[in-house]
Every structure is written in structure tokens, then in C-alpha cells.
């Protein structure tokens, strides 16, 4: 399994950057993570702490070769759930030692890729998508906002569209009440594309527009950085007033990739 990853982040119209992100790649496992701090002072520190905790935990597990034993959906679900719960516990300890961080929290969306599965784990409203063979699948559904909660309870989307602020009110985030992350595990065949980003990106970009960006930039000889850059650029052009962060990964079957370098993937007689 070969993975090519690109990232793009922009402070947008905010005075400070509170998004954070990370990605880890090993021969048999890969992980992408995006966090979006909130609640004022301490938001960025908490968002970064989640990224660092997840990175250290998965790196440690990889060094011990434990991650390479993740073969079933149940094993993958257990790994992703435990990782985010550990990160949330670390955040709780940080807040206890920093009393002026009482209102701070963060979203966390983690995607783990194994040879046969993709597992997505999330708390909050940072979204993740999988694109393959012309189909765009949202992995984070439903996101944890008041609008989604009201839809779940029978409120009409038409009424909620007149109250867009409901989309920015979180019902779950890391740093407040304890929450078990939601999860979705899907079978995979390669190649495919993964896109993970904050609500600053996907709150202002429809799934139709996201799919158009992918299809217009996905060529036989292309740079995955172009997709990440275009998503951020388009979101800002369409009115995003938040920090905007995107991580994009192309997952390739190792025997199909002809040439990989830092920025470019050469593909041969096949497409995604």
C-alpha cells in the first residue's frame, strides 16, 4: 500500500489559527487526523494536544508491530475508538491544570487505513470523505451539530436552512463531557482518495462542488497538493469565515504505482 498525502491550511478571516492536523504512514497502516479548536483561550493547544496524543499512540503501536495485526473491522474499530478516548483523557488532564481553558474544546476526526478497510472516527463536525470510481462517500454522518440533532429528531431541513447558525453549534466535542466517538468502517479496494477537513472548508462547499473539484484535478499525471489547495481556495472564495484545513490522501496498490515522489504520482492505465 502506497499513500501520497497533501495538506493545506489557512487562517481565513479569524484572528488566530485553531485548526491542527497530522498524518502517519507505515507499510501496513495509515492515519489522517484533523482537529478544530474552539471555546477561546486554549482551543488551539487542545486541538494540537489531540493530534500529538494520537500520533504518539499510533507511532508507538506501529513500532511494536501491533497495528499490523489489525485485520478485522472489530479490531480496527477498537483501535480508533481507544485512540480518541485516550486523547480525550489527555485533554481533560490539560484542562484541569489550566483553569482559564474551561470553555475550550476541539473536534477530532480520525481516519485509519489498513490494507482492506477504512475506519473513520469522529467527535464534532470535522468531516471526512472517500472518493472512488466516481462516487463520493461521506464517512462522518451524522456530524455532531445542533442542526443535525434537530433533523434526527424530525425537524425539516428547509426550516433549518433559514437558521444557518445551528450548523455551528456543537453537541459533542473533545474537552467537555466524555463521548465515545462515532465510527464507520468500510471495506476497500484500491486506488481511492480520502479527504478530511474542518467545517471551515466543508461548511461552505457542497458535496457536488467537492466532487467536481476532485474530478477536475484528478488526472493521469497529477499532484495531490492541487486538490487540497483548490478545496481551501474555493471555500474561502465562497464565504468561509473560519480557519480552513484539509488533508488529502491518495491510497494506491503498491504493485500498480509506477513512480512516486514527494509531489507527484505517476499512474498507469487505470484511474480512480
Amino acid at each position: 500500500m502506497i499513500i501520497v498525502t497533501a495538506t493545506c491550511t489557512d487562517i481565513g478571516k479569524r484572528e488566530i489559527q485553531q485548526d491542527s492536523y497530522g498524518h502517519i504512514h507505515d507499510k501496513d497502516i495509515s492515519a489522517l487526523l484533523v482537529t478544530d479548536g474552539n471555546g477561546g483561550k486554549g482551543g488551539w493547544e487542545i486541538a494540537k494536544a489531540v493530534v500529538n496524543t494520537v500520533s504518539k499512540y499510533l507511532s508507538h503501536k506501529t513500532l511494536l508491530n501491533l497495528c499490523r495485526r489489525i485485520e478485522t473491522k472489530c479490531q480496527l474499530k477498537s483501535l480508533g475508538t481507544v485512540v480518541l478516548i485516550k486523547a480525550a483523557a489527555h485533554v481533560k488532564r490539560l484542562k484541569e491544570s489550566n483553569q482559564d481553558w474551561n470553555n475550550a474544546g476541539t473536534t477530532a476526526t480520525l481516519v485509519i487505513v489498513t490494507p482492506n478497510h477504512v475506519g473513520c472516527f469522529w467527535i464534532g463536525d470535522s468531516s471526512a470523505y472517500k472518493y472512488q470510481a466516481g462516487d463520493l462517500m461521506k464517512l462522518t454522518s451524522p456530524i455532531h451539530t445542533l442542526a443535525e440533532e434537530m433533523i434526527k429528531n424530525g425537524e425539516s431541513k428547509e426550516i433549518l436552512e433559514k437558521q444557518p447558525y445551528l450548523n455551528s453549534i456543537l453537541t459533542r466535542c473533545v474537552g467537555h463531557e466524555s463521548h465515545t466517538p462515532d465510527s464507520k468502517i468500510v471495506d476497500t479496494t484500491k486506488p481511492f482518495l480520502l479527504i478530511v477537513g474542518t467545517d471551515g472548508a466543508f461548511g461552505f462547499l457542497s458535496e457536488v462542488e467537492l466532487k467536481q473539484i476532485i474530478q477536475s484535478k484528478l488526472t493521469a499525471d497529477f499532484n495531490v497538493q492541487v486538490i487540497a489547495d483548490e478545496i481551501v481556495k474555493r471555500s474561502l472564495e465562497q464565504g468561509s469565515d473560519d480557519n480552513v484545513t484539509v488533508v488529502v490522501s491518495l491510497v494506491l496498490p503498491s504493485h500498480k504505482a509506477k513512480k512516486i515522489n514527494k509531489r507527484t504520482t505517476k499512474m498507469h492505465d487505470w484511474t480512480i
Side-chain angles (χ1 to χ4, degrees):
M1 179 168 76
I2 295 175
I3 299 180
V4 181
T5 296
T7 62
C8 185
T9 187
D10 195 290
I11 194 172
K13 295 181 180 179
R14 296 296 175 92
E15 294 182 356
I16 58 173
Q17 173 65 272
Q18 289 193 302
D19 289 353
S20 189
Y21 62 88
H23 50 90
I24 301 171
H25 304 302
D26 187 63
K27 179 182 178 182
D28 298 305
I29 195 165
S30 176
L32 318 175
L33 176 65
V34 167
T35 59
D36 180 1
N38 56 65
K41 191 171 184 179
W44 182 84
E45 288 84 353
I46 285 175
K48 189 66 176 177
V50 170
V51 172
N52 289 340
T53 302
V54 170
S55 298
K56 289 177 181 178
Y57 184 82
L58 288 179
S59 295
H60 179 63
K61 288 287 186 181
T62 300
L63 289 173
L64 293 177
N65 289 323
L66 294 179
C67 284
R68 296 178 181 179
R69 302 174 192 170
I70 303 297
E71 297 178 350
T72 68
K73 289 183 178 180
C74 287
Q75 290 171 329
L76 179 53
K77 182 175 181 178
S78 177
L79 175 64
T81 301
V82 167
V83 168
L84 283 191
I85 288 175
K86 285 183 176 291
H90 177 58
V91 164
K92 183 179 179 181
R93 291 192 293 271
L94 279 178
K95 291 188 67 173
E96 288 173 350
S97 59
N98 293 274
Q99 296 301 319
D100 53 348
W101 292 5
N102 285 339
N103 295 323
T106 185
T107 70
T109 295
L110 170 67
V111 178
I112 301 177
V113 184
T114 66
N116 298 312
H117 302 102
V118 170
C120 184
F121 309 86
W122 71 97
I123 300 174
D125 64 350
S126 294
S127 298
Y129 294 88
K130 175 175 174 283
Y131 176 85
Q132 185 174 34
D135 291 326
L136 185 68
M137 174 192 294
K138 187 170 186 179
L139 298 173
T140 47
S141 183
I143 55 176
H144 303 136
T145 64
L146 183 55
E148 288 287 343
E149 187 70 22
M150 293 173 71
I151 290 171
K152 180 180 176 181
N153 292 331
E155 190 63 78
S156 71
K157 291 185 178 181
E158 290 75 17
I159 292 176
L160 294 177
E161 285 174 355
K162 299 177 182 179
Q163 305 174 77
Y165 67 92
L166 296 174
N167 289 304
S168 61
I169 300 175
L170 294 176
T171 55
R172 298 191 206 176
C173 71
V174 179
H176 295 288
E177 296 180 17
S178 298
H179 297 291
T180 299
D182 277 351
S183 62
K184 180 179 291 185
I185 316 292
V186 297
D187 297 327
T188 63
T189 57
K190 305 174 192 68
F192 58 88
L193 198 71
L194 292 169
I195 309 100
V196 188
T198 59
D199 68 319
F202 298 129
F204 295 83
L205 198 67
S206 70
E207 292 184 12
V208 171
E209 291 168 317
L210 176 58
K211 187 173 179 179
Q212 289 173 344
I213 290 171
I214 294 169
Q215 292 176 332
S216 68
K217 302 299 180 181
L218 197 60
T219 61
D221 180 1
F222 83 137
N223 175 351
V224 291
Q225 186 69 51
V226 174
I227 297 175
D229 292 347
E230 184 64 19
I231 292 171
V232 171
K233 174 176 174 287
R234 192 82 63 86
S235 299
L236 292 170
E237 288 176 346
Q238 296 187 177
S240 178
D241 58 355
D242 202 349
N243 305 144
V244 184
T245 300
V246 172
V247 180
V248 179
S249 281
L250 175 64
V251 183
L252 302 163
S254 57
H255 66 282
K256 286 283 188 180
K258 299 294 289 183
K259 181 181 179 181
I260 302 291
N261 61 36
K262 185 176 181 181
R263 295 183 62 84
T264 305
T265 300
K266 300 283 188 179
M267 295 187 290
H268 175 67
D269 69 15
W270 53 277
T271 62
I272 63 171

